[in-house]
């Protein structure tokens, strides 16, 4: 029975996470229409990409058995976030913004490559799970904290235009469902990544 409930929370987490990944679509339509990123920050999308890559890797059976639902949604999320990062690079409001975003995207690729390579070449079993779980947890904390980079603009403009409500709601619901999934599966990394 516990496995069924865990599976239900995993499916719910997948659905909510998909809405989370798709919630910035109106923002990116605006960027495409105006051909400029304006004052939007690309940091949350890059951090989300790294989190998705590491979490998808963590959920694979040879790293963390019985967490395939973690891999499926994070794999889809990584694909969606790559599209966002590319759009951000194409429509960057300045060359400086484009270079920053390109540097951040390069750092994301490098961190993921190092974690994946080290986990496959140097580690096995619990050591692999520990490294990948810690990497995913640290990046999850960064991802959930990265929207705070836009808080200064929200306070300065006294407008939540750059911090959409749907995104905030989806983050809360997604975190809650994955926290329960992690508790039911007795997986501290999945539960900790939800905060």
């Amino acid at each position: 029975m516990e496995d069924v409930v865990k599976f239900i929370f995993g499916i719910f987490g997948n659905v909510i996470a998909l809405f989370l990944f798709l919630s910035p679509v109106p923002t990116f339509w605006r960027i495409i229409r105006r051909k400029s990123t304006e004052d939007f920050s690309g940091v949350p999308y890059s951090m989300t990409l790294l989190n998705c890559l590491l979490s998808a890797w963590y959920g694979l059976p040879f790293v963390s058995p019985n967490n395939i639902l973690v891999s499926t949604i994070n794999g889809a999320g990584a694909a969606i976030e790559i599209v966002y990062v590319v759009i951000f690079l194409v429509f960057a409001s300045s060359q400086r913004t484009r270079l920053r975003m390109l540097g951040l995207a390069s750092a994301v690729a490098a961190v993921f490559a190092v974690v994946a390579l080290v986990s496959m070449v140097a580690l096995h079993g619990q050591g692999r799970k520990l490294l990948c779980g810690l990497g995913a947890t640290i990046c999850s904390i960064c991802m959930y904290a990265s929207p705070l980079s836009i808080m200064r603009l929200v306070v300065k403009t006294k407008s939540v235009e750059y911090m959409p409500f749907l995104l905030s709601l989806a983050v809360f619901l997604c975190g809650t469902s994955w926290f329960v999934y992690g508790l039911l599966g007795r997986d501290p990394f999945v539960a900790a990544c939800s905060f």
Side-chain angles (χ1 to χ4, degrees):
M1 181 65 174
E2 192 173 291
D3 287 338
V4 172
V5 174
K6 176 187 169 198
F7 181 76
I8 290 169
F9 271 96
I11 294 297
F12 184 69
N14 270 261
V15 171
I16 296 298
L18 185 60
F19 283 114
L20 171 64
F21 295 135
L22 294 175
S23 65
V25 166
T27 299
F28 281 90
W29 281 127
R30 175 179 167 169
I31 288 171
I32 292 168
R33 257 192 342 268
R34 295 186 180 183
K35 295 182 177 22
S36 172
T37 55
E38 300 171 350
D39 288 329
F40 290 107
S41 173
V43 173
Y45 308 106
S46 296
M47 295 315 306
T48 302
L49 174 59
L50 182 56
N51 182 61
C52 286
L53 290 169
L54 290 174
S55 295
W57 186 259
Y58 175 77
L60 292 173
F62 57 85
V63 176
S64 174
N66 304 319
N67 275 326
I68 198 68
L69 288 175
V70 173
S71 281
T72 56
I73 191 57
N74 282 291
I80 292 167
E81 296 302 323
I82 287 170
V83 170
Y84 293 157
V85 169
V86 168
I87 290 170
F88 205 93
L89 285 168
V90 169
F91 295 106
S93 55
S94 70
Q95 186 66 15
R96 182 177 177 194
T97 302
R98 182 175 286 115
L99 288 174
R100 271 195 203 150
M101 192 65 182
L102 193 56
L104 192 54
S106 298
V108 164
V111 168
F112 174 68
V114 166
V115 170
L117 193 61
V118 168
S119 71
M120 289 305 293
V121 174
L123 301 170
H124 304 321
Q126 288 299 324
R128 180 181 292 163
K129 184 175 180 177
L130 180 65
L131 173 73
C132 295
L134 284 173
T137 301
I138 290 167
C139 286
S140 180
I141 291 167
C142 291
M143 180 194 77
Y144 283 115
S146 66
L148 296 177
S149 67
I150 204 69
M151 284 299 255
R152 193 180 99 200
L153 186 62
V154 169
V155 171
K156 181 178 154 188
T157 62
K158 294 182 173 88
S159 169
V160 292
E161 176 184 11
Y162 298 106
M163 193 173 171
F165 173 74
L166 287 178
L167 181 62
S168 301
L169 178 62
V171 167
F172 172 74
L173 292 174
C174 186
T176 302
S177 61
W178 285 114
F179 177 70
V180 173
Y181 178 89
L183 286 179
L184 291 172
R186 292 172 185 78
D187 191 321
F189 295 116
V190 174
C193 285
S194 307
F195 281 108

